[in-house]
Amino acid sequence: MRLAYVLSVLSCTVFGSAVAMTIRQDQPLAEQQFKNIRSFKGEKASDVVPAMEFMSASLKVECDFCHTEDRASDAKGEKVTAREMIAMQRDINKNHFGGRNVVTCATCHNGHPHPINVPPVEGLDARPRRSQDVPVEQVLAAYGKASGEDASHPIEGLQLRGTSLEHGEKSGFEATYMGKNYYFLTHASKGDQKTGFNGSMLWFTLPNGVQRVPLQYAEQFANQSALLYGPSTLPKLDNPSGATAKIAGRDMLVVSGFIAGEKTRLSIYFDKQTGLLTRTMFSYPTILGNIVQTNDFSDYRKVGGVQIPMTVSSHSAEGDTVHRFTSAKVEKKIDPAIFDPAK
């Protein structure tokens, strides 16, 4: 009985394989139906168009992204690159996943023409496109005029109060700025949280004391936490270039470059119509890839003759934080000790 069962299974298996081979032989191959086929040579012709549709959907592009009107032409570099990417995908899946399509075009592209090689952060869809028609000095001059900042009489200090929304918790929030130095006091449900930067050290309070972070490790945190309200408050860039972008349908003029003396790349977005700062995008290199943080500035209010953003939204791979200020005033007398580590 057992032998009969085994023979029956083997017969079905052989028969099924024969049928599959017959079907495969009866269907034309890709190279028999299409011209200049390389990546899909040996595959069924009927599989080519669905594969193209998958690539198109993964990159959110149309056929002409890789092809000219003559679909067989190799005139576009994107088509050559596509072949290389197909070979790479198949190699990865063959050597690491038993040939299963675990890694695909969508894995890295995720709906973008170019692979996204940074953790997901809000604002990545508004990446700037370099343009020689965007003069950096004129953009910064327009920002200075729009902000109302007087470089000869800079604001000595600012005090702001409002709320902070972080990880779904809304807390009272106070901020004091003097130059690049800052002090934050968050009235959280579990107790007050203090954070400060005195130009050489970042620090923040913990339940068991104060954590100090030397400048060499804290530079990026200091840059991304600064309140920007005029050209003099912007980080200095090496060899900045101009670009364009769109945010929420509005045209932006962008100034990009590496922060002087650092490996951090910064893109600064200005509203083309108002001239005011809209967004900063920091890209920090690590040994595994870049980390991106975007800061959005809005709800401007004139304080001491200068336009101050009353809402600052920060977006990073670790989460989002929104500071909404309800009051702001210029302070000429600020004790510098407030920026030093809490005792």
Side-chain angles (χ1 to χ4, degrees):
M1 185 72 176
R2 180 176 177 80
L3 178 60
Y5 173 77
V6 172
L7 291 174
S8 175
V9 170
L10 289 175
S11 298
C12 289
T13 302
V14 172
F15 176 75
S17 299
V19 171
M21 291 178 63
T22 302
I23 292 174
R24 185 175 181 86
Q25 291 174 354
D26 289 343
Q27 294 188 15
L29 299 178
E31 61 269 27
Q32 296 172 330
Q33 294 289 101
F34 301 97
K35 295 180 181 179
N36 196 19
I37 283 290
R38 300 185 190 180
S39 296
F40 301 123
K41 187 175 290 186
E43 302 288 351
K44 293 184 295 183
S46 59
D47 284 339
V48 173
V49 172
M52 295 289 180
E53 291 177 346
F54 179 83
M55 288 189 287
S56 176
S58 296
L59 277 67
K60 281 291 188 291
V61 296
E62 301 295 334
C63 301
D64 57 6
F65 184 77
C66 290
H67 295 281
T68 63
E69 289 187 10
D70 177 6
R71 298 310 198 211
S73 171
D74 289 341
K76 282 198 168 185
E78 288 83 356
K79 184 176 181 180
V80 177
T81 300
R83 287 185 178 133
E84 295 172 349
M85 295 298 100
I86 293 169
M88 179 185 71
Q89 173 188 321
R90 287 183 161 179
D91 184 65
I92 291 173
N93 287 323
K94 176 184 176 182
N95 293 324
H96 299 281
F97 299 103
R100 293 177 292 117
N101 281 328
V102 175
V103 174
T104 70
C105 310
T107 305
C108 297
H109 286 270
N110 196 24
H112 299 83
H114 301 285
I116 301 299
N117 60 353
V118 298
V121 172
E122 185 173 329
L124 290 179
D125 56 336
R127 287 193 171 184
R129 293 189 175 185
R130 183 171 294 187
S131 173
Q132 295 182 348
D133 297 327
V134 180
V136 172
E137 293 302 325
Q138 290 184 24
V139 174
L140 295 178
Y143 173 46
K145 183 177 180 180
S147 69
E149 183 192 36
D150 184 353
S152 61
H153 296 88
I155 291 178
E156 297 180 24
L158 278 172
Q159 284 191 337
L160 302 100
R161 287 179 171 80
T163 60
S164 173
L165 181 63
E166 185 174 6
H167 302 304
E169 181 179 353
K170 189 175 183 179
S171 308
F173 185 74
E174 300 175 25
T176 302
Y177 297 92
M178 187 171 70
K180 292 187 176 181
N181 297 351
Y182 59 79
Y183 168 73
F184 300 152
L185 175 59
T186 305
H187 302 289
S189 59
K190 295 182 180 180
D192 288 351
Q193 168 74 46
K194 300 177 182 179
T195 304
F197 177 68
N198 62 6
S200 61
M201 178 184 297
L202 173 76
W203 59 270
F204 53 91
T205 56
L206 295 170
N208 59 348
V210 177
Q211 177 67 56
R212 294 171 171 82
V213 185
L215 182 62
Q216 66 186 100
Y217 305 115
E219 193 80 47
Q220 70 183 66
F221 300 106
N223 285 331
Q224 67 194 30
S225 297
L227 184 67
L228 307 177
Y229 49 83
S232 69
T233 65
L234 298 175
K236 304 301 180 186
L237 303 182
D238 288 331
N239 302 316
S241 59
T244 61
K246 278 186 178 294
I247 296 178
R250 295 183 67 87
D251 291 324
M252 299 288 148
L253 300 178
V254 187
V255 174
S256 298
F258 288 94
I259 296 178
E262 299 182 31
K263 295 181 179 180
T264 298
R265 185 168 181 80
L266 172 62
S267 293
I268 311 171
Y269 296 67
F270 301 96
D271 189 295
K272 185 177 181 180
Q273 184 174 351
T274 67
L276 290 172
L277 173 68
T278 297
R279 172 176 293 172
T280 56
M281 180 181 288
F282 295 88
S283 180
Y284 309 102
T286 78
I287 57 176
L288 294 179
N290 290 351
I291 296 174
V292 172
Q293 168 157 336
T294 61
N295 294 335
D296 290 333
F297 304 87
S298 59
D299 300 332
Y300 280 87
R301 181 189 302 178
K302 186 170 287 188
V303 180
V306 177
Q307 295 287 352
I308 302 295
M310 300 297 285
T311 299
V312 180
S313 303
S314 301
H315 311 283
S316 71
E318 296 179 349
D320 301 334
T321 301
V322 180
H323 293 147
R324 298 185 189 279
F325 300 113
T326 54
S327 68
K329 63 178 181 178
V330 174
E331 280 288 350
K332 294 184 178 180
K333 295 182 180 181
I334 295 178
D335 184 358
I338 195 175
F339 306 110
D340 295 329
K343 296 180 180 179

